[in-house]
Amino acid sequence: MATTAFEPLISAAWGKPNSWKLDEYKKRGGYKGLEKALEMAPAQIIDEVKKSNLRGRGGAGFPTGLKWSFVPKDSPKPKYLAVNGDESEPGTFKDRYILEHDPHMMLEGIAIASYALGVHTCYVYLRGEFKFQAERTNAAIREAYAAGIFGKKVLGKDFQLDCYVVRGAGAYICGEETALLESLEGKKGWPRLKPPFPAVVGLFGCPTVVNNVETLASVPHVFTRGPGWYAGLGTDKSGGTRLVCLSGTVNRPGVYEVPLEATFNQLIFDDKYGRGLPAGRKVKAVIPGGSSAPILSPDELDVAMEFEAVKVKQTMAGSGGVIVMDDTTCMVRSLWRVARFYAEESCGQCTPCREGTPWQTRLLRKIEEGRGEPGDVEILSNVASSIAPYPPIGLGNTICALGDAAALPTHSFLMRFRDEFEAHIREHRCPFGDKPWGAFGDWS
Amino acid sequence: MLTTKPFETYEAPAMAEPLFTPEEQKKFDAEIAEILSHYPADRKSAAMLPALRLLQELKGWLPPEGLKLVASRLGVTPERAYEVASFYVMYHLKKPGKYVVDVCTNLSCALWGAEKMLAYLEQKLGLKAGEANERFTLRETECLASCGTAPCLQINEDHHESLTKAKVDAIFDKLS
Ligand SMILES: Cc1cc2nc3c(=O)[nH]c(=O)nc-3n(C[C@H](O)[C@H](O)[C@H](O)COP(=O)(O)O)c2cc1C
Ligand code: SF4
Ligand code: FES
């Protein structure tokens, strides 16, 4: 990690006047990365991205250059790029800021990726609720067409590229990459069995790369400043900077761009970021990467918010959604709400997830409402294990990782706060009474 | 491989009133053509989500005749259109209130008082979450990507965040 002052890449222009407009983006050096990439051979571009150690920001942290290299070069079929802007994992709210404040950064990444992959059609899939963000993105796309960045030629190069925004219609599961492809094909969002992976059989049966909004917005920086520089900003296995979303019981929630070596403690307590908890309150638990990620205890927060470091703790950096709960928050109530989300959003395709997610929810409600019986915690733990045992992460018995996402919180809450669940059952009530939501749970 | 029967073989029942006014029909035709141009010619059915959205923008919901029309334009059965429409929560298969109010009660918002805000709205609108009258449909919804500016809600897809009681009152006072 460089010793010089930290320089934000993705969020540098947020909040500046007209930061979303093409001319402002160009004034900041925008589309220079594309110019450089267009001078290279496609294979070289993929190599540069590999060298940059850029890893996907959508959740799994998959190396981006490697993913691109899986697309068959000799396929006679058209190839597609699908941008994942579904952003629905609870606690995650970073991609919307890119779309609102600097959509051209993502569009430049799209153009570079498309040229490298031989893609002539790109679909930007945004969650249905992103009406304003879709308008912003569409306006930026229109500017890009008018400026000869998209269309019959890309910056004068004999390469056609079309780009369209498609809005979802309210389904978390469509963030899962194969469900997203089904949805783009005009169907309900039922994830597909993998393999085959989308890079080989994706949209309309053709090779397709699915990348997150932030991943693509990171791509131009690899080319403007060089892959070595980009890799050097990060850790051994993970290049660049990343956006993290801080929410829950902290004084200053928000999206912050951080160096990959920054720790959860820094994010929560540093003056630049979260500025700590309200007076007198202590951290009880932290969700490190979207609500599906197993929680961390207060003594585990000196870990860097980087994929590998977080993995050592048997949890995940995931989508960058960090949710803080203070010592007056009820863990049963919190887990119940999280469980309800996954039950609501299960697509219903496989039995452990379809049946297990509502079962978890019913048990948690029963315990929280003081109707729990001895043995309920064991049943809950068994139900979660039948969806996906833990640890480690990734043992799910289901078609897609929503099953894991639903079971992991249950496992991790029970591992750390079993006593609190037992107390609910013993006392036949919630020990937090009608104040289960911590220091900011009141509203006025 | 399964093939679907083209819709042309179905006969839509006669309607009491036409689905669209002439202006709506013009808008629908023009925008459907634009949407279809985004997809390969042999993949018209891919346009299902945007086509349903267009129908809902024009009618406020997805009436059965509309679903049939969309299906016929996309070359699929009405069942297929219904299947998609019923999967996604933003599509209304029943006519909702004039204002659809979606309140996020997921974890980050709950930690900033979303349940209290919902209770306030239930009382203010005289509806329980999940109920509707002519003017309002009130629903609990899942995370809206405003966790850092909680609590939040959407009214007919317009987004409002960092809400206080005073802000909520001001927003609802402005509704016609
Ligand atoms: C249930 C589920 C929901 C997901 N939701 C999102 C999402 O909203 N946005 C996203 O970018 N990735 C999401 N993902 C991850 C995608 O499947 C995929 O890994 C990602 O879009 C790949 O892009 P990346 O390599 O650039 O990270 C989700 C995965 C699962 C299993
Ligand atoms: S794990 Fe759940 S969401 Fe994923 S395919 Fe199976 S039922 Fe659907
Ligand atoms: S939890 Fe309410 S917007 Fe994310």
Side-chain angles (χ1 to χ4, degrees), chain B residues 129-173:
Chain B
E131 291 179 351
N133 59 26
E134 282 219 342
R135 223 166 123 65
F136 291 105
T137 292
L138 182 63
R139 308 193 297 186
E140 256 184 280
T141 194
E142 299 299 351
C143 177
L144 291 169
S146 277
C147 329
T149 41
C152 66
L153 58 76
Q154 294 205 327
I155 303 176
N156 291 352
E157 298 184 22
D158 286 331
H159 194 66
H160 304 275
E161 47 198 346
S162 302
L163 293 173
T164 57
K165 203 171 275 176
K167 269 194 179 178
V168 166
D169 285 340
I171 291 163
F172 280 82
D173 284 351

Side-chain angles (χ1 to χ4, degrees), chain A residues 80-113:
Chain A
Y80 293 99
L81 175 64
V83 182
N84 195 340
D86 196 59
E87 189 147 80
S88 309
E89 170 84 0
T92 314
F93 48 99
K94 62 187 179 67
D95 296 338
R96 59 171 281 205
Y97 286 90
I98 298 176
L99 301 166
E100 289 168 21
H101 295 278
D102 214 346
H104 281 287
M105 198 182 280
M106 172 188 74
L107 297 185
E108 183 176 1
I110 288 173
I112 296 171

